[in-house]
Amino acid sequence: MKTRIKARYVIGFDGHGHRIIENGQVVYEGQNILYVGAKEFPGTVDREIDCGCSLVSPGLIDLDALGDIDHGLYHWEVPSQKNASLMWSKKYWDQGPREFMTPEEEAFKSLYAYAALVRAGITTAMPITSVLYKACAETYEEIEAAAYNARDVGLRVYLGPSYQSGNRVVASDGTTSVLYDEEAGKKGLERAIRFANVYGGWADGLINAVMVPERIETQTIDNLVRSKAAAREIGCPMRLHAAQGSFEYNWIVSHHSKTPLQLLDSLGILDDRTLIPHGLFVQGFSELSNPLPGDDLALLAERKTTVIHCPLVYARGGTALESFGRYRRAGVNMAMGTDTFPCDLLLNISVGSMMARRVDKSPEGNRVADFFETATLGGARALGRDDLGRLAAGAKADIVVFDLSGRHIGPIDDPLRTLVNSGSGRDLKLSVINGRVVFENGRVLGIDESRLDERAQQYYDRMKASVAERDFRGQSLDELFAPSFPAWK
């Protein structure tokens, strides 16, 4: 069936870059786009959707997408002297971690998260979940359930169970180190390989394989090397959090005399199928306490490795990439991630542009258009997909429509800048993924959303309660998490 979407504005792709088409249209059939332009489609269509004063956009690509209920809600304003209480205590490690949630709860969390991603105009996601309250990262069963949830909501995902060979552990005196369980890491990699072989390419190509070992410092060298070898054999990307924080950076430097990115390169891991979320701690970053010689950005550019930029979560922590424009000028491929709630890439584009301008003291290279390209074409490049992140004949029919008619939008100047300045992902009007309408008339189609919020609150409350069991100080939740204002008495 041929479907035509018409609107006041369309962001089309002319083979070189995005272009704004006034009074444009997009026609798709099956999984693919047939036509994008201002002139009438030279043929008949079976259905026409007139979106009026709206912006038709390629689907947004989120490569560090929140796949559970966000623990950042309680982490956000914890005083720095209490940060160690959020990690695992040595006592908890010695007792043997346990699963706090039931399999049914773990299956639910991805359904809730994926529905939220669809509601924000994200059409391709590479999910990430917290492992703080897990026994050892993600189980095979919860990621298998996540694959079915992605299929049901119609979200394209790059998916695999995360795994780790160790964890940060806080001793009774408050000092932090990393303790390792090599066997757990090996079993985790085995789960990931099994999942990739069973579900890679499943559900009409909506479910795609990816290797997602956890943070660089919680992996053994052997498991890192084996993970990349597995990714190459399977032919899938590998995502690894690295160069994201001071503890991790200093731990790697002290143990290997290399920066995290230099270590990965020495192991042969950096290439065009490796994705690095965050990547802040490189030479020239103002928060480095132990800088090493070299040029990490030049290394990333030479290896064609992607950095996944998540500006909102950085800004909430009081820091910023230094800077988005600098990385792009160095030739580093940039993609976008949300990594926190709300999973709104338009909000991340807005915050990211502001933070980058503050660092660079200039809008050049840090414009809304630069970030939008990163959230579409940059993400597609990271995945090796020239059929995503663009509205063009032959591309996948991943199409999102944002309403520009709301009173909160105000007068329209440039439609994209106006949307980012005055709107948000909540202005989504229509979403099509792989040729299937997945969001329309304010609803995620194909699932019952009526009880999602109630169950999400229950899940969140249990997740938060688990912090007290891990705290090396043994504090209660009231002691750990102060309210914004004291309770009324």
mmCIF file of all heavy atoms in Angstrom, residues 341-364:
data_model
loop_
_atom_site.group_PDB
_atom_site.id
_atom_site.type_symbol
_atom_site.label_atom_id
_atom_site.label_comp_id
_atom_site.label_asym_id
_atom_site.label_seq_id
_atom_site.Cartn_x
_atom_site.Cartn_y
_atom_site.Cartn_z
ATOM 1 N N PHE A 341 16.174 10.218 31.525
ATOM 2 C CA PHE A 341 14.790 10.570 31.262
ATOM 3 C C PHE A 341 14.623 12.081 31.372
ATOM 4 O O PHE A 341 15.233 12.685 32.238
ATOM 5 C CB PHE A 341 13.872 9.864 32.271
ATOM 6 C CG PHE A 341 12.500 9.576 31.743
ATOM 7 C CD1 PHE A 341 12.264 8.446 30.982
ATOM 8 C CD2 PHE A 341 11.452 10.436 31.992
ATOM 9 C CE1 PHE A 341 10.993 8.175 30.485
ATOM 10 C CE2 PHE A 341 10.186 10.186 31.507
ATOM 11 C CZ PHE A 341 9.954 9.060 30.746
ATOM 12 N N PRO A 342 13.869 12.740 30.513
ATOM 13 C CA PRO A 342 13.109 12.172 29.415
ATOM 14 C C PRO A 342 14.004 11.788 28.239
ATOM 15 O O PRO A 342 15.030 12.427 27.998
ATOM 16 C CB PRO A 342 12.149 13.306 29.025
ATOM 17 C CG PRO A 342 12.887 14.549 29.376
ATOM 18 C CD PRO A 342 13.660 14.221 30.605
ATOM 19 N N CYS A 343 13.605 10.773 27.518
ATOM 20 C CA CYS A 343 14.394 10.279 26.380
ATOM 21 C C CYS A 343 14.056 11.128 25.153
ATOM 22 O O CYS A 343 13.513 10.632 24.172
ATOM 23 C CB CYS A 343 14.124 8.813 26.135
ATOM 24 S SG CYS A 343 12.379 8.371 26.148
ATOM 25 N N ASP A 344 14.409 12.395 25.217
ATOM 26 C CA ASP A 344 14.002 13.390 24.237
ATOM 27 C C ASP A 344 15.237 13.923 23.513
ATOM 28 O O ASP A 344 16.006 14.721 24.072
ATOM 29 C CB ASP A 344 13.255 14.521 24.958
ATOM 30 C CG ASP A 344 12.613 15.515 24.009
ATOM 31 O OD1 ASP A 344 13.070 15.619 22.861
ATOM 32 O OD2 ASP A 344 11.663 16.208 24.434
ATOM 33 N N LEU A 345 15.447 13.481 22.285
ATOM 34 C CA LEU A 345 16.622 13.940 21.545
ATOM 35 C C LEU A 345 16.524 15.411 21.162
ATOM 36 O O LEU A 345 17.549 16.085 21.031
ATOM 37 C CB LEU A 345 16.838 13.080 20.294
ATOM 38 C CG LEU A 345 17.647 11.802 20.507
ATOM 39 C CD1 LEU A 345 17.752 11.004 19.218
ATOM 40 C CD2 LEU A 345 19.047 12.111 21.029
ATOM 41 N N LEU A 346 15.313 15.938 20.976
ATOM 42 C CA LEU A 346 15.190 17.365 20.691
ATOM 43 C C LEU A 346 15.672 18.188 21.880
ATOM 44 O O LEU A 346 16.347 19.209 21.711
ATOM 45 C CB LEU A 346 13.745 17.719 20.348
ATOM 46 C CG LEU A 346 13.169 17.091 19.075
ATOM 47 C CD1 LEU A 346 11.747 17.577 18.850
ATOM 48 C CD2 LEU A 346 14.036 17.421 17.860
ATOM 49 N N LEU A 347 15.351 17.753 23.095
ATOM 50 C CA LEU A 347 15.851 18.420 24.298
ATOM 51 C C LEU A 347 17.368 18.316 24.366
ATOM 52 O O LEU A 347 18.062 19.276 24.720
ATOM 53 C CB LEU A 347 15.209 17.807 25.538
ATOM 54 C CG LEU A 347 15.676 18.335 26.891
ATOM 55 C CD1 LEU A 347 15.459 19.838 27.013
ATOM 56 C CD2 LEU A 347 14.959 17.586 28.023
ATOM 57 N N ASN A 348 17.913 17.160 24.013
ATOM 58 C CA ASN A 348 19.363 16.989 24.018
ATOM 59 C C ASN A 348 20.028 17.880 22.976
ATOM 60 O O ASN A 348 21.121 18.405 23.212
ATOM 61 C CB ASN A 348 19.729 15.520 23.781
ATOM 62 C CG ASN A 348 19.725 14.719 25.056
ATOM 63 O OD1 ASN A 348 20.754 14.570 25.700
ATOM 64 N ND2 ASN A 348 18.568 14.203 25.440
ATOM 65 N N ILE A 349 19.395 18.039 21.823
ATOM 66 C CA ILE A 349 19.934 18.950 20.809
ATOM 67 C C ILE A 349 19.958 20.371 21.341
ATOM 68 O O ILE A 349 20.951 21.106 21.180
ATOM 69 C CB ILE A 349 19.106 18.855 19.517
ATOM 70 C CG1 ILE A 349 19.371 17.516 18.818
ATOM 71 C CG2 ILE A 349 19.423 20.017 18.576
ATOM 72 C CD1 ILE A 349 18.464 17.239 17.631
ATOM 73 N N SER A 350 18.895 20.787 22.010
ATOM 74 C CA SER A 350 18.817 22.131 22.561
ATOM 75 C C SER A 350 19.889 22.360 23.622
ATOM 76 O O SER A 350 20.657 23.331 23.561
ATOM 77 C CB SER A 350 17.427 22.366 23.157
ATOM 78 O OG SER A 350 17.329 23.643 23.744
ATOM 79 N N VAL A 351 19.958 21.451 24.604
ATOM 80 C CA VAL A 351 20.942 21.588 25.679
ATOM 81 C C VAL A 351 22.362 21.473 25.126
ATOM 82 O O VAL A 351 23.255 22.230 25.496
ATOM 83 C CB VAL A 351 20.691 20.534 26.770
ATOM 84 C CG1 VAL A 351 21.827 20.506 27.777
ATOM 85 C CG2 VAL A 351 19.369 20.800 27.474
ATOM 86 N N GLY A 352 22.574 20.512 24.222
ATOM 87 C CA GLY A 352 23.900 20.318 23.657
ATOM 88 C C GLY A 352 24.399 21.531 22.915
ATOM 89 O O GLY A 352 25.565 21.928 23.044
ATOM 90 N N SER A 353 23.534 22.148 22.132
ATOM 91 C CA SER A 353 23.928 23.337 21.387
ATOM 92 C C SER A 353 24.298 24.475 22.332
ATOM 93 O O SER A 353 25.293 25.183 22.130
ATOM 94 C CB SER A 353 22.797 23.762 20.449
ATOM 95 O OG SER A 353 23.153 24.918 19.727
ATOM 96 N N MET A 354 23.509 24.657 23.390
ATOM 97 C CA MET A 354 23.805 25.719 24.345
ATOM 98 C C MET A 354 25.126 25.478 25.066
ATOM 99 O O MET A 354 25.947 26.394 25.226
ATOM 100 C CB MET A 354 22.662 25.846 25.352
ATOM 101 C CG MET A 354 21.392 26.442 24.775
ATOM 102 S SD MET A 354 20.120 26.750 26.025
ATOM 103 C CE MET A 354 19.427 25.116 26.224
ATOM 104 N N MET A 355 25.346 24.244 25.517
ATOM 105 C CA MET A 355 26.576 23.935 26.249
ATOM 106 C C MET A 355 27.801 24.066 25.346
ATOM 107 O O MET A 355 28.846 24.572 25.755
ATOM 108 C CB MET A 355 26.496 22.521 26.832
ATOM 109 C CG MET A 355 25.364 22.314 27.825
ATOM 110 S SD MET A 355 25.542 23.269 29.338
ATOM 111 C CE MET A 355 26.738 22.291 30.222
ATOM 112 N N ALA A 356 27.672 23.622 24.100
ATOM 113 C CA ALA A 356 28.799 23.699 23.171
ATOM 114 C C ALA A 356 29.153 25.148 22.843
ATOM 115 O O ALA A 356 30.330 25.509 22.737
ATOM 116 C CB ALA A 356 28.476 22.925 21.896
ATOM 117 N N ARG A 357 28.147 25.987 22.686
ATOM 118 C CA ARG A 357 28.407 27.408 22.432
ATOM 119 C C ARG A 357 29.099 28.042 23.626
ATOM 120 O O ARG A 357 29.956 28.924 23.471
ATOM 121 C CB ARG A 357 27.098 28.133 22.148
ATOM 122 C CG ARG A 357 26.455 27.757 20.821
ATOM 123 C CD ARG A 357 25.113 28.433 20.650
ATOM 124 N NE ARG A 357 24.394 27.881 19.498
ATOM 125 C CZ ARG A 357 23.615 28.607 18.720
ATOM 126 N NH1 ARG A 357 23.444 29.892 18.952
ATOM 127 N NH2 ARG A 357 22.995 28.061 17.704
ATOM 128 N N ARG A 358 28.728 27.603 24.838
ATOM 129 C CA ARG A 358 29.374 28.141 26.036
ATOM 130 C C ARG A 358 30.852 27.756 26.066
ATOM 131 O O ARG A 358 31.710 28.569 26.436
ATOM 132 C CB ARG A 358 28.669 27.595 27.284
ATOM 133 C CG ARG A 358 29.303 28.012 28.607
ATOM 134 C CD ARG A 358 29.121 29.499 28.854
ATOM 135 N NE ARG A 358 29.746 29.922 30.090
ATOM 136 C CZ ARG A 358 31.018 30.303 30.216
ATOM 137 N NH1 ARG A 358 31.804 30.309 29.154
ATOM 138 N NH2 ARG A 358 31.483 30.664 31.394
ATOM 139 N N VAL A 359 31.162 26.529 25.675
ATOM 140 C CA VAL A 359 32.557 26.076 25.684
ATOM 141 C C VAL A 359 33.358 26.758 24.577
ATOM 142 O O VAL A 359 34.464 27.256 24.797
ATOM 143 C CB VAL A 359 32.627 24.543 25.526
ATOM 144 C CG1 VAL A 359 34.067 24.087 25.343
ATOM 145 C CG2 VAL A 359 32.001 23.860 26.737
ATOM 146 N N ASP A 360 32.792 26.794 23.368
ATOM 147 C CA ASP A 360 33.514 27.325 22.211
ATOM 148 C C ASP A 360 33.419 28.839 22.084
ATOM 149 O O ASP A 360 34.147 29.426 21.276
ATOM 150 C CB ASP A 360 32.964 26.702 20.918
ATOM 151 C CG ASP A 360 33.625 25.378 20.597
ATOM 152 O OD1 ASP A 360 34.517 24.968 21.353
ATOM 153 O OD2 ASP A 360 33.241 24.747 19.600
ATOM 154 N N LYS A 361 32.507 29.436 22.822
ATOM 155 C CA LYS A 361 32.254 30.883 22.707
ATOM 156 C C LYS A 361 31.829 31.260 21.284
ATOM 157 O O LYS A 361 32.076 32.377 20.835
ATOM 158 C CB LYS A 361 33.500 31.694 23.102
ATOM 159 C CG LYS A 361 34.064 31.375 24.479
ATOM 160 C CD LYS A 361 33.131 31.807 25.577
ATOM 161 C CE LYS A 361 33.797 31.756 26.947
ATOM 162 N NZ LYS A 361 34.140 30.414 27.393
ATOM 163 N N SER A 362 31.201 30.321 20.592
ATOM 164 C CA SER A 362 30.793 30.574 19.212
ATOM 165 C C SER A 362 29.718 29.577 18.799
ATOM 166 O O SER A 362 29.761 28.400 19.209
ATOM 167 C CB SER A 362 31.983 30.441 18.265
ATOM 168 O OG SER A 362 31.563 30.466 16.910
ATOM 169 N N PRO A 363 28.761 30.000 17.966
ATOM 170 C CA PRO A 363 27.774 29.048 17.446
ATOM 171 C C PRO A 363 28.314 28.200 16.302
ATOM 172 O O PRO A 363 27.703 27.189 15.943
ATOM 173 C CB PRO A 363 26.646 29.955 16.951
ATOM 174 C CG PRO A 363 27.330 31.227 16.564
ATOM 175 C CD PRO A 363 28.464 31.386 17.537
ATOM 176 N N GLU A 364 29.441 28.599 15.710
ATOM 177 C CA GLU A 364 29.956 27.885 14.542
ATOM 178 C C GLU A 364 30.277 26.434 14.886
ATOM 179 O O GLU A 364 31.043 26.149 15.804
ATOM 180 C CB GLU A 364 31.201 28.577 13.987
ATOM 181 C CG GLU A 364 30.943 29.979 13.470
ATOM 182 C CD GLU A 364 29.853 30.015 12.408
ATOM 183 O OE1 GLU A 364 29.860 29.130 11.530
ATOM 184 O OE2 GLU A 364 28.981 30.896 12.473
#
